[in-house]
């Protein structure tokens, strides 16, 4: 399999955690200026040129959740990212929650800073920041005691949660008023596979649009 992404990209990290977590073999095709051919190939498959992208036996698969669903269906390993039954439905729901309400709002607030002059959206960016707090409050009230999103097993929900909470806390701090969520983020960052993803993105922190804080 060929995997297209960048180490500082949150959605890339989400899938890398699943790939590395099961030691799934793949060739990493980095999306960066040194490898223009990778971006060209990405754009041939992914209509908006968004990454990550997986090509498996010639078949392109994009959208991070769909890639993990694909790995679950065709390259299952020791860790079962999406359990059967009710637990699996909870995993899929929480994966949507982290992508849409945490990662999505984090991206909106961050990307507003790098829009061209005069094209900013302060209303949208402020709303995204407020919506992040709504997401945090919901998670504080509805996450279990863990250690992971649905309990004892690390699943696709945690693959989504790790990069989204990692970066979102840089945009709007979770803060001491949400101890359960803060402890979950700390557990995620201490997980060896998540720590590897964070470390591989570390050299690119100067590119964080809002300025990366000196922590984590
Ligand atoms: N819904 C997509 C989102 C992918 C996405 O937003 N990727 C970002 C990197 S984290 C990207 O490709 N940005 C490049 C761009 O916007 O041109 C997924 O789950 O894979």
């Amino acid at each position: 399999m060929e995997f297209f992404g960048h180490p500082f990209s949150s959605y890339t990290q989400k899938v890398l955690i699943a790939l590395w977590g099961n030691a799934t073999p793949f060739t990493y095709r980095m999306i960066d200026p040194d490898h223009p051919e990778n971006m060209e190939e990405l754009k041939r498959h992914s209509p908006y040129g968004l990454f990550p992208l997986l090509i498996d036996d010639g078949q392109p698969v994009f959208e991070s959740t769909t890639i993990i669903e694909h790995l679950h269906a065709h390259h299952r390993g020791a860790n079962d990212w999406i359990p059967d039954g009710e637990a699996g439905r909870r995993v899929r729901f929480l994966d949507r929650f982290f992508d849409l309400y945490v990662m999505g709002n984090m991206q909106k607030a961050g990307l507003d800073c790098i829009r061209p002059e005069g094209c900013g959206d302060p209303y949208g960016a402020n709303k995204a920041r407020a919506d992040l707090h709504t997401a945090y409050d919901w998670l504080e009230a509805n996450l279990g005691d863990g250690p992971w999103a649905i309990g004892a097993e690390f699943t696709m929900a945690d693959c989504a949660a790790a990069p989204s909470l990692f970066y979102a806390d840089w945009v709007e701090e979770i803060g001491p008023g949400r101890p359960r969520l803060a402890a979950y983020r700390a557990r995620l960052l201490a997980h060896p596979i998540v720590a590897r993803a964070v470390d591989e993105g570390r050299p690119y922190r100067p590119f964080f649009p809002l300025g990366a804080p000196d922590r984590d």
Side-chain angles (χ1 to χ4, degrees):
M1 287 188 288
E2 294 184 302
F3 177 75
F4 296 68
H6 187 278
F8 199 52
S9 141
S10 50
Y11 287 104
T12 297
Q13 291 181 2
K14 171 178 162 184
V15 177
L16 282 174
I17 292 165
L19 284 165
W20 290 337
N22 270 345
T24 308
F26 68 95
T27 302
Y28 196 160
R29 294 189 55 182
M30 195 88 79
I31 301 294
D32 66 9
D34 292 339
H35 303 91
E37 71 283 5
N38 291 347
M39 181 50 114
E40 280 162 26
E41 178 147 14
L42 173 80
K43 284 185 167 166
R44 277 200 288 279
H45 302 293
S46 166
Y48 297 102
L50 295 179
F51 40 92
L53 165 79
L54 186 80
I55 300 186
D56 185 5
D57 200 17
Q59 184 196 348
V61 186
F62 57 92
E63 285 296 317
S64 55
T65 298
T66 310
I67 296 172
I68 296 176
E69 292 269 8
H70 179 92
L71 296 173
H72 174 72
H74 301 290
H75 301 274
R76 204 170 294 192
N79 296 291
D80 195 6
W81 305 125
I82 310 170
D84 289 338
E86 199 52 45
R89 284 187 281 281
R90 176 84 177 156
V91 164
R92 288 185 168 97
F93 163 66
L94 287 173
D95 170 77
R96 293 299 72 225
F97 191 93
F98 284 112
D99 271 20
L100 295 173
Y101 306 120
V102 182
M103 205 106 86
N105 285 315
M106 177 276 292
Q107 274 189 331
K108 268 186 219 157
L111 293 178
D112 189 60
C113 304
I114 52 172
R115 285 187 175 201
E117 181 85 26
C119 297
D121 175 19
Y123 177 85
N126 285 336
K127 181 169 186 320
R129 286 174 180 274
D131 287 349
L132 267 183
H133 285 279
T134 304
Y136 294 164
D137 287 340
W138 187 88
L139 287 164
E140 182 67 20
N142 289 282
L143 271 182
D145 290 324
W148 308 118
I150 65 152
E153 304 303 327
F154 193 103
T155 66
M156 176 170 71
D158 302 292
C159 296
S164 46
L165 291 174
F166 171 63
Y167 285 115
D169 190 58
W170 288 4
V171 173
E172 288 292 316
E173 284 197 44
I174 292 167
R178 301 176 181 110
R180 178 181 290 193
L181 184 58
Y184 174 50
R185 181 179 184 273
R187 275 196 302 279
L188 285 167
L189 297 192
H191 187 290
I193 303 284
V194 175
R196 177 178 172 188
V198 168
D199 279 343
E200 294 204 1
R202 206 173 282 278
Y204 305 96
R205 289 186 181 196
F207 296 124
F208 192 69
L210 292 157
D214 188 18
R215 56 183 169 86
D216 295 324

